Amino acid sequence: MFEKIFEYLSYPFAVYALIVGVLVSLCASLFGISLVLKRFSFIGDGLSHVAFGALSIATVLKLTNQMILVLPITVICAILLLKTSGKRKIRGDALIAMVSVGALALGYLIVNRFSSSANISGDVCSTLFGSTSILTLTKFDVITSIVLSVIVIVLFIIFYNKIFALTFDESFAKATGVKTEIYNLIYAAITGVIIVLAMNLVGSLLISALIVFPSLSAMRLFSSYKKVTIFACIISVLCAIIGILSSMVYGTPTGSTIVIADIIAFVICFVIGKLRRKTV
Amino acid sequence: MKRALIAILVLSIIFVCVSCSSNDDKKVIDVSKYSTTMAYSTLDNMLNINPSEYLGKTIKIGGVFVRGMNNYTNTPLDFIVITDSTACCSLGLEFELAGNLAYPNDYPEEGTDAIIEGLYESYEENGAIYYHLTEAKFV
């Protein structure tokens, strides 16, 4: 098995897949904790369907670089969905559901009617489930993913304290003079960027797993925000590496293999957490 | 300062990994023994992402033998078709057999599994670049 892995890693595209996979899963886990605690776990699903819709339009328009359309549309939708507003008539979860199914349906309709691809269902399936997307990245995709991921990680480090304040007590943060509107805007934009990056890794339908599972696994074992953050990152990166390598060795779809690795990690953490609480 | 150093270290590791990985010294690429995920990804990279990296190399690939038709020249085209792990996407690699082999006697039955080995080259037709295996033989 290790011989096979080393042989596969002699291909640049396999190394690119690992690098991008590690960075994207790291970004998703960093911001996933806040999203889970703020009850926005399904935002990943909603935004990934918006990204799918944007990708469909970009495909039909035959854009060389689809990121030009997908990234801004997804970021704008992220800002609209996550921006807190007391005047909103449609609540957060209902709004996410509306946008999610609407974008998915519109995207598939556009691809079905206007795409000139020979295998529409194959393209759609690959985008939705990320079977080999991470292994077929162009150099431009890799560089874009690395740059965006590094920016996201740096922003998390810089705004760590603000993110902490916004997650646990936004009202108090606002009362103490923190410009919550601006930070919420930045936070929403970063979430949109992470979703677009994660689409290549696990596909549109499974993105929520990257956001939710590492955080929940870490919360089974730790209660401190810092420890949960660190452990969620470790779990997410490990599962991404194991998922990518396993899919290469055993011929399974990459996206779902990573998610299965996340689920197994969650079960292990759940059991360990239960045992620890029983012994205390 | 500490965080900056960690960031620089991580970026350096990434840069080294990206730079070091190369299959330039491989002359024969045996895709027939790869998993479906790797076989499909390798073929996708060969045909669509980075074909120049594979030109001039001997490729051995297994899949389903399919015979098609070139609509421009009205001549038959032979393909080895492989699917990805979800079986919803497939890619075909065209090949030209070496020697004077006749269809169907010297070919496997269409729709059956076959392994082919040949030299990966490009050709131009009607202003478009295509890729195929030349001097190919069934293994």
Side-chain angles (χ1 to χ4, degrees):
Chain A
M1 188 177 82
F2 289 107
E3 279 173 16
K4 266 244 171 327
I5 290 173
F6 287 129
E7 187 182 349
Y8 291 158
L9 291 179
S10 67
Y11 289 97
F13 68 82
V15 176
Y16 296 159
L18 271 182
I19 291 169
V20 171
V22 163
L23 288 173
V24 168
S25 59
L26 182 63
C27 294
S29 63
L30 284 176
F31 282 85
I33 299 159
S34 290
L35 287 170
V36 167
L37 291 172
K38 289 170 84 163
R39 304 273 196 269
F40 273 115
S41 302
F42 261 106
I43 192 75
D45 242 19
L47 289 175
S48 66
H49 294 172
V50 167
F52 172 78
L55 193 69
S56 306
I57 298 170
T59 306
V60 165
L61 292 175
K62 292 189 173 61
L63 293 179
T64 324
N65 181 13
Q66 294 167 339
M67 199 75 96
I68 296 171
L69 196 64
V70 176
L71 196 59
I73 289 177
T74 311
V75 167
I76 289 166
C77 279
I79 291 168
L80 290 172
L81 287 173
L82 285 173
K83 196 174 166 236
T84 53
S85 171
K87 294 176 188 171
R88 196 189 275 164
K89 285 185 181 169
I90 302 172
R91 293 277 178 191
D93 57 343
L95 192 60
I96 292 170
M98 267 175 50
V99 168
S100 170
V101 295
L104 193 63
L106 186 67
Y108 189 60
L109 191 66
I110 289 171
V111 159
N112 200 270
R113 293 301 299 164
F114 301 111
S115 176
S116 56
S117 168
N119 184 14
I120 292 170
S121 59
D123 293 340
V124 168
C125 183
S126 177
T127 308
L128 290 176
F129 291 101
S131 55
T132 51
S133 308
I134 193 67
L135 289 160
T136 53
L137 298 174
T138 62
K139 246 192 177 125
F140 179 79
D141 291 334
V142 176
I143 292 166
T144 313
S145 298
I146 290 173
V147 168
L148 287 174
S149 298
V150 167
I151 290 171
V152 166
I153 293 166
V154 165
L155 285 173
F156 181 84
I157 293 169
I158 292 171
F159 295 121
Y160 176 81
N161 292 327
K162 300 289 185 292
I163 292 169
F164 179 87
L166 285 174
T167 303
F168 288 101
D169 199 339
E170 192 173 327
S171 311
F172 180 76
K174 197 170 184 176
T176 56
V178 174
K179 292 187 176 69
T180 54
E181 287 279 328
I182 294 171
Y183 288 114
N184 274 326
L185 204 74
I186 296 170
Y187 185 84
I190 293 171
T191 305
V193 168
I194 292 169
I195 296 303
V196 171
L197 292 175
M199 266 180 75
N200 273 328
L201 184 58
V202 292
S204 296
L205 291 183
L206 302 172
I207 281 177
S208 287
L210 274 190
I211 289 170
V212 165
F213 276 112
S215 322
L216 292 179
S217 302
M219 285 177 206
R220 298 305 104 197
L221 300 177
F222 303 103
S223 49
S224 142
Y225 184 74
K226 195 172 183 178
K227 284 180 184 172
V228 165
T229 305
I230 293 168
F231 193 73
C233 292
I234 294 169
I235 285 272
S236 188
V237 166
L238 273 176
C239 289
I241 293 172
I242 291 168
I244 292 171
L245 292 177
S246 302
S247 76
M248 290 200 295
V249 170
Y250 298 113
T252 54
T254 312
S256 46
T257 312
I258 292 172
V259 173
I260 295 295
D262 277 318
I263 291 170
I264 292 170
F266 173 75
V267 169
I268 293 170
C269 291
F270 183 83
V271 168
I272 293 172
K274 278 264 183 196
L275 290 172
R276 274 169 76 181
R277 275 187 280 277
K278 270 188 180 168
T279 53
V280 165
Chain B
M1 182 64 184
K2 194 176 166 184
R3 286 177 187 176
L5 284 172
I6 292 169
I8 290 165
L9 179 66
V10 167
L11 283 170
S12 309
I13 292 168
I14 292 170
F15 177 73
V16 167
C17 287
V18 171
S19 313
C20 286
S21 171
S22 166
N23 61 350
D24 281 344
D25 46 348
K26 275 189 193 169
K27 294 287 181 251
V28 179
I29 298 176
D30 187 358
V31 184
S32 64
K33 291 178 183 163
Y34 291 178
S35 65
T36 46
T37 301
M38 270 310 282
Y40 184 88
S41 305
T42 308
L43 188 57
D44 200 353
N45 274 275
M46 275 170 57
L47 292 173
N48 301 316
I49 312 291
N50 207 357
S52 56
E53 208 175 286
Y54 299 87
L55 289 173
K57 295 193 196 278
T58 301
I59 310 290
K60 189 173 168 187
I61 187 164
V64 175
F65 166 63
V66 169
R67 197 148 229 253
M69 188 61 78
N70 185 331
N71 292 329
Y72 292 107
T73 59
N74 222 22
T75 50
L77 292 173
D78 300 316
F79 294 91
I80 285 288
V81 174
I82 61 172
T83 56
D84 73 347
S85 47
T86 55
C88 70
C89 297
S90 59
L91 284 171
L93 179 60
E94 188 195 331
F95 65 89
E96 273 180 23
L97 288 177
N100 293 320
L101 298 179
Y103 182 82
N105 297 331
D106 299 319
Y107 284 70
E109 198 181 319
E110 197 180 350
T112 59
D113 288 341
I115 298 176
I116 196 102
E117 184 175 323
L119 196 63
Y120 191 65
E121 289 183 341
S122 64
Y123 68 96
E124 196 179 324
E125 194 173 279
N126 293 315
I129 307 282
Y130 298 94
Y131 301 94
H132 63 171
L133 295 182
T134 58
E135 298 298 315
K137 59 179 190 281
F138 287 106
V139 175

